[in-house]
Amino acid sequence: MKKAIAFISLTAAIVASSQASAVTITLACGAVGQELQLCREGAARWAKKTGNTVKIFESPNLTNDRLGLYQQQLAAKSSDIDVYQLDVVWPGLLSQHFVDLKGKVPTNEINAHFKGIIDANTVNGKLVALPWFTDAGLLYYRTDLLKKYGFSAAPKTWTEMALMAKKIQDGEQKTNKAFAGYVWQGKNYEGLTCDAMEWLVSFGGGTIVDAKGNITINNAQAAKALDTAASWVKSISPAGVTTYDEEAARGIFQAGNAAFMRNWPYAWALGQGADSKVKGKIGVAPLPSGGSRNAATLGGWQLGVSSYSKNQAAAIDLVRYLAGPAEQKIRAIEGAYNPTLQSLYKDKDVLAKNPFFGSLYNVFTSAVARPSGPTKSKYNQVSQAFSSAVSDVLSGKSKGQAAVTKLATDIARIKGRGW
Amino acid sequence: MTVQTTAPARPTRTRGIEAARARQAIWLLLPTLIAIALVAGYPLYRTFYFSLFEANLTSPEQRTFLGLGNFWFTTEDGIALGFLQDPKWWGAVKNTLLFTVVSVFLETVFGMIIALVVNSAFKGRALLRTAMLVPWAIPTVVSAQMWAYLYNDSFGLIGRGILGGQAVLANTDTAIWALVAVDVWKTTSFMALLILAGLQSLPGDMYEAADMDGASKWTQFWKLTLPLLRPALLVALVFRSLDALRVFDVMSVMLGNVNAAATSMTGYARQALIDNQLLGLGSAVSVAVFLIIMVIVVMYVTAFRVKFD
């Protein structure tokens, strides 16, 4: 009896103290597509449950810009932002600024996520962040147009895709001047690195830098991959494709002005929205093969707690909640954000809303990681050198072979004394 | 920024009062001097300091001394690490200089024309003077984004409407001219304003005399207006050139940061410093930008004997 009373009063004391110390957590989330709205809603649910307050910090759309901003905050050891949304290639760059979640989050909760993504978030044994959603490049296509022009299935190879896109584009341009065969991310930024990695791997051209840190970009298959992509510009893709990011490509596809689009899974839910002109006419397939394999670049975002946060316990709780199954399920259903929890790929509600999650499960689990692991803190420089070289090939300033030869020198220069 | 033509009166009073005034002036200036030292001097000193080190932006405490290695350094394997050995840097310098020369030249010509028009008396002159400042008053980031939409090849008024689906911004070689157009659109009015201030200080009776002597308007412009306008014009030129040399926002917004690094010196510095976290190298680049701008200003001032008083 005494024990029970002690227990009750202790619990009451804990509850009271936790209520008394309701805190304000600042969460930095992205604003691509529905991200911001879903982030706001998820944070509000946690706030309601715990009695704390969450402030949302809006970050720039482009991942490079976001990183610049975060680095300034972190270098200044600012406590303004408690929880950061981190790109899958950042843990190596930023690990020293984040709380080690190992030991602070129960092991079974960590193990419920895909192992590959947990590995990507682990730097020297430290778990920098918890996976929130994963991403892989997908090929979106217009089912109605494929049918109209006599195609029965999505293309399997890039050659096939280019032929289909050309035929549809030529037909549609008779009535719609702005129609394009294929839209993708050609602007010189991290998104181009993702797109071009897919071409490289699908042609068997390696991953720029291999797992051991050797520079492997200078090879004939990589050159061929880049030349192939360059041949799309101004033939099946508009000249301006080299200024498009995710949202620009989505805007064109969703307005009904493109037959094919390369984008991340988030574009699905928006394409099926009430204001979409292509609602009910979208098909999703793995990106075509260049002869070697179908390849998708691994993307995705994680949530990490800043070491400079003044309310780390509450911040960790928020991260656990947002990365947890209930929240990931809501995000999968409402925004087609791919869960990082294996169990949700068998969930009926999720599959009903996103039928391609089940059929393209392999695309998500076999996605290719960018070389952020081996290149460590110099990843950004490597990625920029790569995307700039690709950009030169796309705009016709150089040819594939010349570009990869020069790129190998540039990357050697960045590597300098070692990664 | 006005150009004063009368020199301040020479001190002829007794030394005591003057000395007291000078002391007073120093005390009054002291807060300003301290503020300048804190907000301008210290960051400048830190930039010079870090340019001699290899340091990372996220942990500046750990740094190793490199000397001038950030500027010029070749490893034993023959790999060039200094930014002065990077062709991209020289591309950025070339593009910035091209941008500066072309845009400042066009702004001066158009600014002069606008100023001459607005200087003559006609109805609605006050309204026009205000209206011409509108492009200049819009924040650069906003106007740059607006122009980026105009240049868009699938829905832009210029990109699709006039150029028929060409993407001018896709290629840095064509983009530089698109950027010059934006800069001219935006800052011509500022140039016009500075020239207008100069024009209004010119005595009217001089033109009456010229008319009496039978000089044509054309002769009056070349022989009277332009020589007398020279001080005002040069100050305006220096101002615009400085602005154009450290151009950043238009490029960053319209081209994205990676391409901006190939088109402007400041974009290159930003990329090294922020995207690549190379605090040392980025500082060295900033120092180089500072020196380049300083050399150009000194050249201007000595060659044309610009007076800033």
Side-chain angles (χ1 to χ4, degrees):
Chain A
M1 189 64 200
K2 253 187 190 170
K3 260 188 187 169
I5 292 172
F7 181 74
I8 289 166
S9 56
L10 189 68
T11 319
I14 292 169
V15 169
S17 71
S18 75
Q19 268 172 352
S21 65
V23 291
T24 303
I25 299 290
T26 305
L27 166 66
C29 21
V32 177
Q34 289 167 285
E35 262 191 304
L36 189 64
Q37 190 202 338
L38 286 173
C39 182
R40 221 182 270 280
E41 288 168 7
R45 281 188 284 270
W46 176 79
K48 204 173 164 198
K49 208 179 89 175
T50 57
N52 295 321
T53 319
V54 181
K55 271 206 304 202
I56 304 290
F57 179 89
E58 281 181 45
S59 311
N61 258 354
L62 291 186
T63 160
N64 300 51
D65 297 352
R66 238 189 262 186
L67 179 61
L69 185 72
Y70 288 0
Q71 279 170 336
Q72 285 171 48
Q73 294 270 349
L74 292 168
K77 301 199 186 336
S78 156
S79 62
D80 291 351
I81 299 173
D82 303 282
V83 177
Y84 286 86
Q85 185 183 328
L86 304 180
D87 197 338
V88 71
V89 290
W90 295 350
L93 284 171
L94 303 173
S95 62
Q96 80 260 40
H97 300 289
F98 286 88
V99 173
D100 186 1
L101 295 174
K102 220 168 245 173
K104 301 211 163 92
V105 175
T107 321
N108 62 332
E109 251 179 77
I110 297 174
N111 292 342
H113 297 275
F114 286 125
K115 191 179 171 294
I117 306 176
I118 290 290
D119 288 347
N121 283 296
T122 312
V123 180
N124 301 330
K126 174 180 175 181
L127 184 62
V128 179
L130 271 190
W132 197 21
F133 61 93
T134 180
D135 258 342
L138 297 172
L139 183 74
Y140 288 79
Y141 60 94
R142 288 276 300 276
T143 49
D144 59 325
L145 290 177
L146 254 61
K147 215 171 163 189
K148 184 175 167 189
Y149 290 88
F151 300 111
S152 54
K156 297 271 184 301
T157 64
W158 291 113
T159 326
E160 211 183 314
M161 193 278 297
L163 286 171
M164 288 164 78
K166 185 78 186 144
K167 192 173 173 195
I168 300 174
Q169 180 181 285
D170 288 348
E172 289 299 301
Q173 276 189 348
K174 284 173 195 149
T175 49
N176 179 3
K177 277 256 174 293
F179 193 87
Y182 182 42
V183 290
W184 36 282
Q185 292 77 47
K187 184 182 176 135
N188 189 353
Y189 78 119
E190 186 64 29
L192 179 58
T193 298
C194 296
D195 281 36
M197 273 281 301
E198 285 157 358
W199 311 331
L200 241 58
V201 176
S202 77
F203 276 87
T207 55
I208 312 169
V209 174
D210 71 9
K212 289 192 193 113
N214 300 316
I215 300 158
T216 59
I217 184 64
N218 191 0
N219 67 74
Q221 283 309 102
K224 196 178 156 199
L226 299 188
D227 284 331
T228 307
S231 74
W232 301 332
V233 181
K234 293 181 193 164
S235 65
I236 56 168
S237 301
V241 76
T242 51
T243 59
Y244 293 172
D245 55 13
E246 284 91 352
E247 290 290 81
R250 183 174 71 81
I252 291 169
F253 186 76
Q254 213 167 300
N257 286 338
F260 294 98
M261 169 178 72
R262 184 266 176 215
N263 216 326
W264 306 100
Y266 85 95
W268 168 262
L270 292 156
Q272 298 295 356
D275 59 344
S276 166
K277 286 196 183 153
V278 292
K279 187 183 176 187
K281 300 173 186 166
I282 309 175
V284 185
L287 284 162
S289 159
S292 175
R293 58 171 279 198
N294 301 78
T297 296
L298 175 73
W301 292 83
Q302 350 290 319
L303 293 168
V305 175
S306 162
S307 310
Y308 317 112
S309 162
K310 293 204 174 87
N311 301 302
Q312 289 185 7
I316 291 171
D317 193 55
L318 172 62
V319 168
R320 280 177 62 192
Y321 173 77
L322 288 175
E327 197 58 37
Q328 286 213 8
K329 182 173 172 177
I330 296 173
R331 295 173 58 85
I333 290 172
E334 286 181 11
Y337 287 100
N338 275 62
T340 59
L341 301 161
Q342 237 144 337
S343 56
L344 287 176
Y345 286 86
K346 293 180 194 98
D347 189 289
K348 275 198 193 102
D349 304 328
V350 172
L351 290 178
K353 197 79 180 162
N354 306 292
F356 66 93
F357 275 18
S359 58
L360 300 185
Y361 183 75
N362 287 334
V363 173
F364 303 121
T365 47
S366 67
V368 192
R370 284 162 273 169
S372 61
T375 55
K376 296 186 188 126
S377 65
K378 290 178 181 168
Y379 168 70
N380 236 347
Q381 293 177 64
V382 172
S383 173
Q384 275 166 12
F386 178 62
S387 69
S388 300
V390 175
S391 187
D392 282 349
V393 177
L394 294 179
S395 62
K397 269 193 210 160
S398 72
K399 288 275 169 251
Q401 187 54 53
V404 292
T405 311
K406 185 177 165 288
L407 184 58
T409 323
D410 286 349
I411 297 180
R413 183 167 177 267
I414 292 164
K415 185 178 178 182
R417 297 177 201 88
W419 298 120
Chain B
M1 191 62 225
T2 54
V3 182
Q4 241 172 306
T5 42
T6 52
R10 295 237 164 242
T12 48
R13 300 282 166 198
T14 50
R15 220 159 255 234
I17 294 172
E18 276 307 314
R21 275 190 185 168
R23 268 201 305 277
Q24 200 181 18
I26 284 170
W27 280 111
L28 288 170
L29 277 175
L30 206 60
T32 317
L33 291 175
I34 292 171
I36 290 175
L38 283 178
V39 302
Y42 181 69
L44 199 63
Y45 156 74
R46 290 288 280 184
T47 308
F48 272 99
Y49 177 81
F50 274 117
S51 73
L52 304 175
F53 287 84
E54 183 178 16
N56 194 294
L57 182 65
T58 47
S59 43
E61 314 78 40
Q62 297 155 8
R63 52 177 177 258
T64 44
F65 186 73
L66 270 190
L68 296 176
N70 284 321
F71 295 88
W72 196 281
F73 189 82
T74 311
T75 61
E76 302 85 46
D77 310 329
I79 299 167
L81 294 181
F83 76 89
L84 292 175
Q85 292 150 288
D86 183 2
K88 247 185 90 189
W89 157 255
W90 293 109
V93 173
K94 193 198 95 197
N95 281 324
T96 311
L97 291 177
L98 180 72
F99 173 84
T100 305
V101 170
V102 178
S103 66
V104 172
F105 173 76
L106 291 176
E107 281 155 23
T108 314
V109 173
F110 292 140
M112 177 71 88
I113 295 170
I114 294 175
L116 287 169
V117 170
V118 177
N119 193 39
S120 56
F122 60 90
K123 223 177 163 190
R125 186 169 68 155
L127 184 74
L128 204 70
R129 273 188 203 172
T130 321
M132 78 180 196
L133 275 176
V134 168
W136 185 63
I138 300 173
T140 313
V141 187
V142 177
S143 62
Q145 188 58 56
M146 188 178 91
W147 277 87
Y149 285 139
L150 287 174
Y151 281 128
N152 187 295
D153 64 305
S154 69
F155 57 79
L157 195 66
I158 299 175
R160 173 138 299 265
I162 299 172
L163 301 171
Q166 277 183 55
V168 262
L169 296 180
N171 188 329
T172 35
D173 294 335
T174 51
I176 192 91
W177 303 107
L179 291 164
V180 165
V182 177
D183 197 64
V184 169
W185 171 83
K186 188 174 163 54
T187 36
T188 295
S189 56
F190 177 68
M191 200 66 159
L193 198 73
L194 289 182
I195 297 174
L196 184 64
L199 277 178
Q200 299 205 317
S201 69
L202 301 184
D205 47 4
M206 183 182 74
Y207 289 98
E208 284 167 26
D211 276 334
M212 294 291 281
D213 293 342
S216 71
K217 289 284 174 209
W218 191 245
T219 318
Q220 285 180 25
F221 174 75
W222 286 108
K223 301 272 172 182
L224 295 177
T225 313
L226 211 54
L228 286 170
L229 207 56
R230 211 184 73 126
L233 201 58
L234 285 175
V235 169
L237 266 177
V238 172
F239 265 59
R240 275 306 309 145
S241 305
L242 286 187
D243 263 357
L245 282 169
R246 57 198 167 98
V247 60
F248 174 76
D249 32 17
V250 195
M251 313 253 181
S252 175
V253 173
M254 292 182 63
L255 301 179
N257 283 321
V258 187
N259 277 350
T263 8
S264 71
M265 300 189 292
T266 48
Y268 186 93
R270 196 212 84 102
Q271 188 181 51
L273 199 61
I274 307 291
D275 283 346
N276 299 343
Q277 301 177 290
L278 301 168
L279 182 57
L281 187 83
S283 301
V285 176
S286 307
V287 168
V289 174
F290 174 81
L291 291 176
I292 289 174
I293 294 183
M294 204 174 79
V295 165
I296 291 178
V297 172
V298 169
M299 269 161 47
Y300 251 124
V301 173
T302 50
F304 297 112
R305 291 195 212 102
V306 182
K307 291 203 179 73
F308 282 100
D309 56 1

